[in-house]
Amino acid sequence: MSDNAVTIRTRKFLTNRLLNRKQMIVDVLHPGRPNVSHKELGERLSKLYKSSEDCVFTFGFRTAFGGGKSTGFALIYDSLDEAKKVEPKYRLIRHGIGAKGIISSKQRKERKNRAKKFRGTKKAKAATAGKK
């Protein structure tokens, strides 16, 4: 039932050879459903464009007022290696590919304040001195 209720349309399709990807705006019609997950959209788009699911990145979806329609952006890379080169770190982390840094905010602030006391090359040394 829910599978039939979702219609995906793409527009402004562009093949970007410099970044080895296909990019497009995605319109999702989902009457009777609050929204469609990124994972489900990735599956549907990978089938539609004959690519693997891990090479499809969807983001920036906004639901239209009143619901029933969402619009966002999708990128389909030729390979996962190309995606790792081009995609921002935060999107790779969201996708489950990249590793998130585990530095706490307090450590970041202490490092920043230690570095404030120096200028030039000594600034970098002061910032790394706190790391052990």
Side-chain angles (χ1 to χ4, degrees), residues 12-70:
K12 294 192 178 179
F13 181 88
L14 187 102
T15 304
N16 190 333
R17 281 290 114 216
L18 290 173
L19 298 176
N20 295 315
R21 70 184 184 194
K22 300 173 191 107
Q23 51 196 52
M24 66 208 79
I25 293 175
V26 181
D27 292 327
V28 185
L29 299 171
H30 47 90
R33 266 181 90 170
N35 224 328
V36 184
S37 69
H38 285 278
K39 189 172 184 177
E40 189 179 335
L41 286 172
E43 290 170 6
R44 292 294 213 58
L45 286 169
S46 66
K47 285 179 191 170
L48 195 65
Y49 288 98
K50 297 175 183 69
S51 114
S52 65
E53 282 179 42
D54 54 346
C55 294
V56 179
F57 289 81
T58 56
F59 59 94
F61 278 84
R62 290 279 168 256
T63 307
F65 182 73
K69 182 182 176 186
S70 298

